[in-house]
Amino acid sequence: GKTRVEAVDLVAGNSLWRSDKIKGGVMQMAVDTENDLAAVVFVRDAKGEPKDGFKRRPTVHLLNLATGEELWKRDLESEVEMSPARWSGDGDEAFYTLDNYRAPFFLDGRLWLFYDGVTSLDARTGNPGIREKFRVNEEGLALTEADPVVDERHIYVSGRGRARAISRATGREVWEAGDLGLTPEMILANGTLFVRTGGQFTRLKDGEVIERGPYGVSAIDPSSGKILWRY
């Protein structure tokens, strides 16, 4: 009945700080230990009958990791479709989660979020940076896009049948490679970005596992976005 965020000493087990002023359910977190920052994503009223199309607007709260003090909070610009924690046909209410989205992370002084596309926020102020909007959870399936991949120059993200590179220096898109299909996995190895396409995915409306192609691998030049080969 009450949300609580708490920091606990790993060795002694005693509580370092506790915050119970933020309302909503804790969905995802990101931590930047070097700068003593913790980003916590909350969603209010995330409960209802299991079904597809259940949407809520996430709120990001940025906390001082050492003290628990709230530095800023920001409501995201749009509601996003959520995934029930369980599927049932008996009409009982279920809690909803953001498990159908890749987790946020800190990089280069910015917080990166992957709900309804790609969003970056200044970690200290919450001011918006890049905002690239595209449909996530294509065809009503969860995690059809890959975990982001990072190298010294770019952040590589996927979604909407495309892979794209975003400059770490400017936050702008550098290139886009299209017509790949569903792209649930990317790996950067030996100077090449490998993108796996197709696979098995959870359908949000009923929890059924659905297979979707085309199945294969595409190799992409990470500097230019040129597709080198497809299997």
Side-chain angles (χ1 to χ4, degrees):
K2 197 171 188 179
T3 301
R4 185 175 70 195
V5 180
E6 188 171 13
V8 178
D9 187 296
L10 286 174
V11 177
N14 56 293
S15 178
L16 302 176
W17 56 260
R18 177 183 298 173
S19 174
D20 57 6
K21 298 179 181 179
I22 305 174
K23 295 182 180 180
V26 177
M27 297 293 161
Q28 290 179 326
M29 297 181 67
V31 173
D32 180 355
T33 54
E34 291 185 0
N35 295 296
D36 268 345
L37 300 176
V40 189
V41 181
F42 287 80
V43 175
R44 300 185 67 173
D45 302 321
K47 186 170 68 171
E49 183 179 345
K51 62 179 181 179
D52 62 333
F54 184 95
K55 294 184 177 183
R56 290 291 186 269
R57 188 189 306 271
T59 301
V60 181
H61 293 258
L62 203 289
L63 308 179
N64 182 302
L65 192 58
T67 65
E69 176 191 2
E70 181 176 282
L71 304 178
W72 54 262
K73 76 171 184 176
R74 186 175 185 89
D75 294 326
L76 298 190
E77 68 177 39
S78 59
E79 294 184 330
V80 299
E81 186 173 7
M82 302 181 68
S83 173
R86 61 173 178 81
W87 287 269
S88 173
D90 57 12
D92 292 340
E93 285 192 326
F95 288 99
Y96 279 79
T97 73
L98 292 177
D99 293 346
N100 50 319
Y101 298 96
R102 303 299 179 178
F105 62 81
F106 287 98
L107 184 68
D108 300 329
R110 305 197 71 82
L111 175 66
W112 295 82
L113 304 143
F114 304 97
Y115 316 119
D116 197 27
V118 179
T119 303
S120 75
L121 303 174
D122 185 283
R124 288 294 180 183
T125 65
N127 293 334
I130 187 175
R131 177 69 180 107
E132 185 178 354
K133 190 172 182 178
F134 57 85
R135 180 169 175 77
V136 183
N137 301 153
E138 297 177 63
E139 302 179 32
L141 304 175
L143 301 178
T144 54
E145 74 291 340
D147 270 320
V149 175
V150 177
D151 65 14
E152 65 277 3
R153 293 180 298 169
H154 300 136
I155 300 173
Y156 304 96
V157 297
S158 70
R160 204 176 55 195
R162 296 173 172 85
R164 47 181 64 78
I166 299 170
S167 170
R168 290 178 57 176
T170 65
R172 297 175 180 174
E173 183 178 295
V174 177
W175 55 255
E176 179 181 283
D179 301 323
L180 299 175
L182 301 184
T183 52
E185 186 176 15
M186 294 191 296
I187 297 173
L188 189 64
N190 299 323
T192 302
L193 183 67
F194 298 97
V195 181
R196 178 172 66 85
T197 55
Q200 295 181 326
F201 307 92
T202 300
R203 190 164 59 192
L204 293 176
K205 70 177 182 179
D206 54 18
E208 291 294 319
V209 175
I210 304 297
E211 295 186 1
R212 284 288 187 273
Y215 304 98
V217 176
S218 297
I220 300 175
D221 182 336
S223 297
S224 65
K226 179 183 178 181
I227 297 177
L228 304 175
W229 53 259
R230 295 189 186 195
Y231 173 78

